[in-house]
Amino acid sequence: RTAVAVELISSPSLIFLDEPTSGLDSYSAFELIKILRNLASRGSTIVCTIHQPSSEVFMSFDNVMLMRNGHLMFSGAVKVMCDYLAGQGHECPNNYNPSDFAMTLLQTESLSPQKADGPSPMTRQSSNFEGLSEVLEYKAAPFHLQLYQLLQREGKQFIRDKVSLGARYVMGVVLAILVGLIFQGSGDEWGDDDNPADIADKVNNHWGALVFFSINAMFLAAQPLLLVFPLERPVFMREYTSGTYGTPAYFTAKTLVEIPAAFLQQAINGTIAYFMVDLGGNLAYFIFVMTLLACVSASTALLLGSSTTMVETAMHLVPAVYVPQILFAGFFISSEAIPVYMRWIQYTCFLKYGISLVTIVEFAESVVPDNRQDAAAQLIHKSDISRDSWWIYVIIMVGIFFIFRLIAAVVLSIRARAFK
């Protein structure tokens, strides 16, 4: 009763209940059904399965559906069910509970299948199905229809969750302003010509801003999925096992919603960062790299969320996955200083490629002053970045984006089949 009451708080337009009277005595069960009946009279649609209802409870329903081994035996008004069964040669005795009679009939009688030359089993007269239904074969909706419906749902969920939406974008703007204030103007400061140490310091400050904006983009994209997806996972498993939609449509819909959301967030944050820090690279390229980095980070978070059942577990895995991204980014320690037997790890870190791309954009030869080309080249060399390999970095990040999502889809599908 408490579970039902919780659902009634928001006055929903549709309520689906699975055996709401189970465990209740006959009086409590009838009182519960009376409440649902009153709610239905005010415009709500109540759909429920029912376990051994009393006569009073059974007759409170408007319509009933009887099924047996996938066969639809009857669907129509409760008050005409006995007449329908009587027409099929099974008359309910007087003073007998119609629901008990129907259940006994479905479990004990061998009913003849619909004749091929008879009326269609799905032909409806009044509110009844004429004759007995043959086995209803389920056929999944085509991919494009699944994708269309899932896109609508994902989009509505994204827009309706105004608290999370506001926190996500507001937090991004606040962090962008904070980092922008710390590194304000550093993008246009190249140091004193007569002081090599000052030049190196200013170049490092310039690059430090890029690194922190990249780290910011990585975590802002990962956090929402890490917090939300483990909660969505049971819904996916239930709907997947019921054949409502397939894994490809589900992940495609999520991706098509996430990419514009990530682009919008990085466009806002990137524009703030660009002008506050006085960056000199191409703004469109800068936003593109940040968006790509955010999408790859979201794919990593999606893989973590798919592999765990609880938010707490996913959050505990975050340091093991994201801390190495920062350690091997080349900011805190140069690639050359990393032990030889550990250098290979940096090539598995997507943050490394994102920082490499944004460094190439910001320290392009056309952007860096002529008298600072050597300092920029030294920074790029120390960070193990190749300007000519920018397309390789893009391909690797796009590959990580799709591969991680594919693995997440496979993991979820395996778990869903086991769940089924």
Side-chain angles (χ1 to χ4, degrees), residues 68-377:
R68 174 185 176 183
N69 297 331
H71 295 71
L72 180 61
M73 312 305 290
F74 173 80
S75 179
V78 170
K79 60 184 179 181
V80 301
M81 183 192 72
C82 290
D83 293 336
Y84 172 82
L85 295 177
Q88 299 295 315
H90 304 282
E91 185 171 356
C92 180
N94 293 330
N95 302 321
Y96 201 91
N97 187 340
S99 66
D100 289 340
F101 174 74
M103 289 299 298
T104 302
L105 178 65
L106 291 174
Q107 298 182 63
T108 60
E109 295 293 331
S110 177
L111 303 178
S112 302
Q114 181 68 40
K115 296 181 179 180
D117 57 350
S120 169
M122 298 303 290
T123 300
R124 187 184 292 270
Q125 294 184 357
S126 298
S127 58
N128 298 318
F129 286 116
E130 189 67 24
L132 299 176
S133 168
E134 298 190 6
V135 176
L136 301 177
E137 296 183 1
Y138 178 79
K139 184 177 180 181
F143 174 81
H144 70 276
L145 183 57
Q146 295 179 25
L147 180 60
Y148 174 73
Q149 295 295 336
L150 287 170
L151 272 175
Q152 282 193 320
R153 187 176 74 174
E154 290 290 332
K156 289 178 180 178
Q157 287 179 342
F158 180 79
I159 295 173
R160 286 174 177 173
D161 193 2
K162 293 181 174 57
V163 175
S164 298
L165 188 63
R168 178 178 181 176
Y169 284 90
V170 171
M171 183 173 64
V173 170
V174 170
L175 290 175
I177 294 174
L178 177 62
V179 180
L181 289 172
I182 294 174
F183 292 95
Q184 189 171 14
S186 62
D188 196 35
E189 296 178 355
W190 296 98
D192 188 354
D193 292 340
D194 299 325
N195 189 344
D198 187 48
I199 294 175
D201 184 56
K202 292 298 190 293
V203 170
N204 283 331
N205 289 344
H206 191 165
W207 191 56
L210 300 179
V211 171
F212 274 95
F213 281 124
S214 299
I215 295 174
N216 189 32
M218 178 180 71
F219 281 113
L220 284 177
Q223 187 179 31
L225 281 173
L226 287 170
L227 295 176
V228 174
F229 188 76
L231 303 178
E232 295 180 353
R233 181 175 170 273
V235 178
F236 165 81
M237 295 184 69
R238 182 174 65 250
E239 294 175 343
Y240 176 85
T241 53
S242 66
T244 306
Y245 51 76
T247 306
Y250 177 74
F251 275 86
T252 302
K254 288 194 74 68
T255 301
L256 293 178
V257 172
E258 288 171 12
I259 291 178
F263 172 77
L264 178 60
Q265 184 174 38
Q266 297 309 318
I268 296 173
N269 299 347
T271 302
I272 294 172
Y274 187 88
F275 290 104
M276 290 191 68
V277 182
D278 285 334
L279 299 179
N282 187 290
L283 176 59
Y285 290 162
F286 177 73
I287 293 175
F288 167 77
V289 173
M290 291 294 102
T291 302
L292 180 59
L293 178 59
C295 289
V296 176
S297 178
S299 294
T300 306
L302 189 62
L303 179 57
L304 288 178
S306 301
S307 305
T308 58
T309 58
M310 296 184 296
V311 175
E312 293 81 2
T313 305
M315 296 303 294
H316 289 157
L317 291 174
V318 168
V321 176
Y322 285 92
V323 170
Q325 304 285 340
I326 301 174
L327 289 176
F328 290 92
F331 178 72
F332 296 101
I333 183 172
S334 65
S335 300
E336 297 176 349
I338 298 175
V340 176
Y341 60 89
M342 297 184 66
R343 289 181 187 175
W344 63 271
I345 300 178
Q346 65 180 316
Y347 301 112
T348 66
C349 299
F350 61 84
L351 180 61
K352 166 72 175 177
Y353 298 108
I355 292 176
S356 297
L357 283 172
V358 78
T359 301
I360 293 172
V361 171
E362 185 59 25
F363 289 94
E365 293 182 357
S366 59
V367 176
V368 179
D370 294 337
N371 58 347
R372 297 295 182 267
Q373 292 288 345
D374 291 341

